[in-house]
Amino acid sequence: MQKHESKKWNEESLGVYYSSDISSVIEVSDYDLDWLINQIKEKGLHYGRLCLHNSIDDLLQIMIIAFINEFSFPIHRHKDKVEAYTILKGECRYIT
Protein backbone atom coordinates (compact mmCIF):
# COMPACT_ATOMS: atom_id res chain seq x y z
CA MET A 1 0.00 0.00 0.00
CA GLN A 2 1.42 3.34 -0.98
CA LYS A 3 1.69 6.14 1.54
CA HIS A 4 -0.28 9.25 0.66
CA GLU A 5 -1.47 12.45 2.29
CA SER A 6 -5.01 13.70 2.67
CA LYS A 7 -6.13 17.26 3.24
CA LYS A 8 -9.69 16.01 2.96
CA TRP A 9 -9.87 14.63 6.54
CA ASN A 10 -9.20 16.30 9.89
CA GLU A 11 -8.27 14.11 12.86
CA GLU A 12 -10.60 15.04 15.74
CA SER A 13 -9.23 12.38 18.09
CA LEU A 14 -6.90 9.41 17.68
CA GLY A 15 -8.09 7.48 14.61
CA VAL A 16 -11.30 9.53 14.22
CA TYR A 17 -11.48 11.71 11.11
CA TYR A 18 -14.11 14.23 10.00
CA SER A 19 -14.36 15.71 6.54
CA SER A 20 -12.70 19.09 6.09
CA ASP A 21 -15.54 19.89 3.65
CA ILE A 22 -18.76 20.49 5.55
CA SER A 23 -20.96 20.32 2.45
CA SER A 24 -24.02 18.09 2.49
CA VAL A 25 -22.38 15.45 0.26
CA ILE A 26 -19.17 13.76 1.33
CA GLU A 27 -17.59 11.46 -1.23
CA VAL A 28 -15.40 8.59 -0.04
CA SER A 29 -13.13 7.00 -2.62
CA ASP A 30 -10.90 3.93 -2.60
CA TYR A 31 -8.06 6.42 -2.11
CA ASP A 32 -9.69 7.64 1.13
CA LEU A 33 -10.13 4.09 2.40
CA ASP A 34 -6.49 3.25 1.63
CA TRP A 35 -5.46 6.47 3.37
CA LEU A 36 -7.47 5.51 6.48
CA ILE A 37 -5.94 2.03 6.63
CA ASN A 38 -2.48 3.56 6.26
CA GLN A 39 -3.21 5.96 9.17
CA ILE A 40 -4.37 3.07 11.37
CA LYS A 41 -1.20 1.08 10.65
CA GLU A 42 1.13 4.06 11.18
CA LYS A 43 -0.46 4.81 14.56
CA GLY A 44 -0.54 1.18 15.72
CA LEU A 45 -4.33 1.13 16.08
CA HIS A 46 -6.78 -1.74 15.59
CA TYR A 47 -9.33 0.47 13.84
CA GLY A 48 -10.12 3.98 12.67
CA ARG A 49 -13.11 5.80 11.28
CA LEU A 50 -14.16 8.35 8.70
CA CYS A 51 -17.15 10.24 10.08
CA LEU A 52 -19.65 11.31 7.44
CA HIS A 53 -21.72 13.36 9.88
CA ASN A 54 -20.65 16.89 10.81
CA SER A 55 -20.82 16.74 14.60
CA ILE A 56 -20.88 14.31 17.50
CA ASP A 57 -24.19 15.98 18.38
CA ASP A 58 -25.87 14.96 15.09
CA LEU A 59 -28.86 12.69 15.67
CA LEU A 60 -27.86 10.47 12.74
CA GLN A 61 -24.22 9.46 12.78
CA ILE A 62 -22.80 7.69 9.75
CA MET A 63 -19.23 6.49 9.62
CA ILE A 64 -16.95 4.14 7.78
CA ILE A 65 -14.95 2.08 10.24
CA ALA A 66 -11.90 0.11 9.09
CA PHE A 67 -10.43 -2.73 11.14
CA ILE A 68 -6.98 -4.01 10.27
CA ASN A 69 -6.74 -6.87 12.77
CA GLU A 70 -9.21 -9.23 14.35
CA PHE A 71 -10.89 -7.06 16.94
CA SER A 72 -13.96 -7.24 19.17
CA PHE A 73 -15.98 -4.33 20.43
CA PRO A 74 -17.33 -4.98 23.91
CA ILE A 75 -20.98 -6.02 23.77
CA HIS A 76 -23.06 -2.89 24.22
CA ARG A 77 -26.50 -1.41 23.64
CA HIS A 78 -27.74 2.08 22.89
CA LYS A 79 -30.98 3.08 24.60
CA ASP A 80 -31.80 5.84 22.13
CA LYS A 81 -29.81 4.91 19.01
CA VAL A 82 -29.85 2.32 16.27
CA GLU A 83 -26.75 0.72 14.75
CA ALA A 84 -26.49 -0.79 11.28
CA TYR A 85 -23.52 -2.53 9.71
CA THR A 86 -22.56 -2.93 6.06
CA ILE A 87 -19.43 -4.96 5.33
CA LEU A 88 -17.46 -3.59 2.36
CA LYS A 89 -14.60 -6.08 2.53
CA GLY A 90 -13.81 -8.99 4.84
CA GLU A 91 -16.20 -10.51 7.34
CA CYS A 92 -17.94 -9.71 10.59
CA ARG A 93 -19.52 -11.72 13.38
CA TYR A 94 -22.46 -9.99 15.05
CA ILE A 95 -23.55 -11.40 18.40
CA THR A 96 -26.97 -10.48 19.81
Side-chain angles (χ1 to χ4, degrees):
M1 179 180 306
Q2 70 183 38
K3 181 177 178 177
H4 44 267
E5 299 294 322
S6 178
K7 294 185 169 84
K8 184 175 179 178
W9 303 100
N10 297 321
E11 187 171 35
E12 294 293 322
S13 60
L14 188 60
V16 179
Y17 301 90
Y18 281 82
S19 175
S20 57
D21 178 7
I22 59 170
S23 67
S24 61
V25 176
I26 300 171
E27 293 183 29
V28 178
S29 67
D30 287 341
Y31 182 91
D32 295 312
L33 298 177
D34 289 344
W35 177 85
L36 176 62
I37 291 168
N38 189 54
Q39 293 299 302
I40 296 166
K41 288 179 178 178
E42 282 183 6
K43 295 175 185 204
L45 304 173
H46 293 290
Y47 65 94
R49 67 187 75 205
L50 300 176
C51 297
L52 306 182
H53 52 282
N54 290 322
S55 166
I56 194 166
D57 297 323
D58 288 351
L59 187 58
L60 178 61
Q61 297 190 2
I62 301 172
M63 52 195 100
I64 295 174
I65 304 174
F67 297 89
I68 59 168
N69 298 312
E70 188 171 313
F71 181 77
S72 295
F73 273 116
I75 295 174
H76 63 282
R77 290 189 188 267
H78 299 287
K79 293 180 182 178
D80 57 349
K81 295 181 184 177
V82 175
E83 286 187 345
Y85 298 91
T86 301
I87 311 306
L88 300 177
K89 182 178 178 182
E91 60 188 48
C92 173
R93 184 179 341 168
Y94 183 79
I95 301 169
T96 61

